[in-house]
């Protein structure tokens, strides 16, 4: 079945119409739906669950017309199982509106000048901090941590997650799989998070959101988690124990005929690894053994024409979190 047919054929819904609600003050609440079978993340939206679970949308513009309805329709599904939170979206787009996508680098900042779809999660519901996940019609992966509604940004934070997209004559679609192991959140089975969604239609310079974001917020409007919707219905069946292991192996072959005695094919091999292990709800252990920090991309060219010192950003993952 085509994507259009799958979305149109809603069938018997698993959730009531109030999968999304907005009160008189404009506050938005959305409900995630549990699924029993893990989603096949391929960007096609052809799984049976999309016929049975209602979508929601009604995005509003931040720019160019603050508060106006989006010119292009967006349908969103929030699903979860024991391991993942799934965010899926069908981004309808008229053939007359050109699709803009040219960024392929991970965390490439020109993705903001592409058609894109993004989600921010305020997992502690403090209305100040969160993590963002973003992709474009080429399937690029962009993620970052933010604090104080964007006053502090950590673009070098790289979570383990997955995004897949597909395109057709009626627009494009995206599926994101966000493992609970990649996120931090309070203990307890029932979770209440903050969430907002953004879609950029670059050909029209149009930024649209699930909740109203003022134009004065600019491109950092997604960071305004104080204006985010409330995500309910999310249940995590068992405690998430985080364990990450990053091994590395480097080798070098050296030939030097000028030394005494000369060397030929001298092999030098180094092995090391980083480990992150969750020890409790508020405690984790970070361990590094023989880490080769020389492998980290650190040398960014900077020109200093002021009297203030320059500082290189921290990119060694062992030191990034916290």
């Amino acid at each position: 079945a085509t994507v259009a047919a799958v979305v149109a054929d809603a069938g018997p819904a698993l959730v009531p119409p109030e999968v999304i609600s907005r009160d008189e003050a404009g506050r938005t609440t959305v409900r995630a739906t549990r699924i029993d079978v893990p989603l096949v993340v391929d960007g096609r939206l052809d799984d049976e669950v999309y016929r049975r679970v209602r979508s929601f949308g009604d995005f509003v513009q931040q720019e160019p017309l603050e508060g106006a309805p989006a010119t292009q329709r967006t349908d969103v599904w929030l699903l979860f199982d024991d391991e993942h939170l799934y965010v899926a979206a069908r981004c309808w787009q008229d053939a007359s509106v050109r699709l803009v996508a040219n960024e392929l680098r991970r965390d490439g900042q020109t993705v903001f000048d592409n058609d894109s779809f993004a989600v921010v999660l305020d997992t502690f519901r403090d209305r100040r901090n969160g993590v963002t996940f973003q992709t474009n019609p080429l399937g690029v992966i962009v993620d970052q941590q933010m604090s104080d509604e964007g006053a502090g940004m950590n673009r070098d934070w790289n979570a383990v997650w997955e995004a897949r997209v597909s395109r057709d004559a009626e627009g494009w679609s995206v599926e994101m799989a966000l493992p609970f192991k990649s996120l931090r959140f309070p203990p307890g089975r029932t979770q209440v998070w903050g969430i907002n969604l953004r879609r950029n239609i670059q050909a029209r310079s149009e930024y649209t959101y699930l909740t109203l974001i003022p134009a004065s917020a600019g491109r950092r409007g997604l960071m305004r988690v104080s204006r985010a919707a409330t995500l309910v219905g999310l249940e995590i069946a068992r405690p998430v124990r985080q364990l990450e292991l990053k091994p590395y192996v480097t080798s070098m072959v050296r030939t030097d005929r000028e030394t005494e005695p000369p060397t030929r094919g001298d092999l030098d091999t180094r092995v090391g690894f980083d480990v992150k292990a969750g020890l409790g709800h508020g405690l984790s252990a970070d361990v590094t053994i023989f880490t080769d920090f020389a492998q980290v991309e650190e040398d960014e060219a900077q020109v200093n024409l002021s009297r203030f010192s320059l500082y290189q950003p921290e990119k060694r993952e062992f030191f990034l979190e916290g």
Side-chain angles (χ1 to χ4, degrees), residues 46-65:
D46 54 3
D47 297 77
E48 174 67 22
V49 66
Y50 294 115
R51 298 187 180 92
R52 303 170 59 201
V53 176
R54 298 183 190 276
S55 64
F56 62 89
D58 296 330
F59 282 33
V60 295
Q61 294 186 41
Q62 178 201 28
E63 295 180 353
L65 299 176

Side-chain angles (χ1 to χ4, degrees), residues 86-284:
Y86 301 100
V87 183
R90 173 59 176 167
C91 302
W92 303 93
Q93 193 145 321
D94 295 339
S96 60
V97 181
R98 182 170 59 95
L99 199 64
V100 179
N102 53 25
E103 179 60 84
L104 285 169
R105 298 170 299 171
R106 173 151 195 172
D107 294 332
Q109 292 305 293
T110 58
V111 72
F112 295 100
D113 298 318
N114 285 197
D115 282 67
S116 61
F117 180 83
V119 56
V120 62
L121 297 174
D122 174 10
T123 55
F124 287 91
R125 196 56 177 151
D126 57 16
R127 301 179 183 272
R128 294 175 62 87
N129 310 298
V131 289
T132 67
F133 304 91
Q134 185 170 213
T135 189
N136 67 358
L138 298 178
V140 69
I141 286 181
V142 178
D143 50 14
Q144 57 191 4
Q145 290 176 323
M146 64 91 180
S147 59
D148 292 330
E149 293 203 303
M153 303 290 295
N154 180 8
R155 294 187 176 93
D156 294 312
W157 178 73
N158 289 328
V160 177
W161 62 289
E162 188 177 7
R164 294 290 185 271
V165 299
S166 64
R167 292 177 288 175
D168 56 37
E170 296 180 303
W172 61 291
S173 58
V174 55
E175 289 178 319
M176 296 180 178
L178 311 177
F180 292 127
K181 290 184 179 180
S182 295
L183 304 172
R184 304 289 184 270
F185 45 84
R189 177 182 176 87
T190 302
Q191 297 286 318
V192 178
W193 295 356
I195 186 172
N196 208 353
L197 306 165
R198 180 184 68 197
R199 179 185 174 189
N200 179 28
I201 306 171
Q202 183 61 24
R204 293 184 173 178
S205 299
E206 181 178 321
Y207 280 80
T208 64
Y209 288 83
L210 177 64
T211 63
L212 179 62
I213 300 295
S216 59
R219 288 191 173 186
R220 291 197 171 189
L222 190 65
M223 311 305 171
R224 293 288 184 91
V225 289
S226 59
R227 290 177 171 263
T230 300
L231 173 61
V232 299
L234 191 61
E235 295 182 346
I236 299 178
R238 57 180 178 271
V240 176
R241 295 296 182 186
Q242 184 194 35
L243 178 63
E244 295 180 9
L245 174 63
K246 288 188 176 181
Y248 86 90
V249 178
T250 61
S251 61
M252 178 174 60
V253 177
R254 179 187 295 112
T255 297
D256 191 344
R257 298 177 181 176
E258 301 297 326
T259 61
E260 289 293 339
T263 60
R264 182 180 181 86
D266 187 10
L267 178 64
D268 181 18
T269 302
R270 296 182 180 181
V271 179
F273 59 86
D274 292 349
V275 176
K276 178 185 289 292
L279 304 181
H281 294 307
L283 181 65
S284 62

Side-chain angles (χ1 to χ4, degrees), residues 154 156 291-303 310-320:
N154 180 8
D156 294 312
T291 304
D292 185 3
F293 288 133
Q295 302 300 314
V296 178
E297 177 193 355
E298 192 77 33
D299 299 326
E300 292 185 357
Q302 299 188 62
V303 178
L310 294 178
Y311 297 92
Q312 295 286 355
E314 179 62 78
K315 292 190 176 181
R316 297 171 295 178
E317 292 191 20
F318 179 74
F319 295 104
L320 279 178

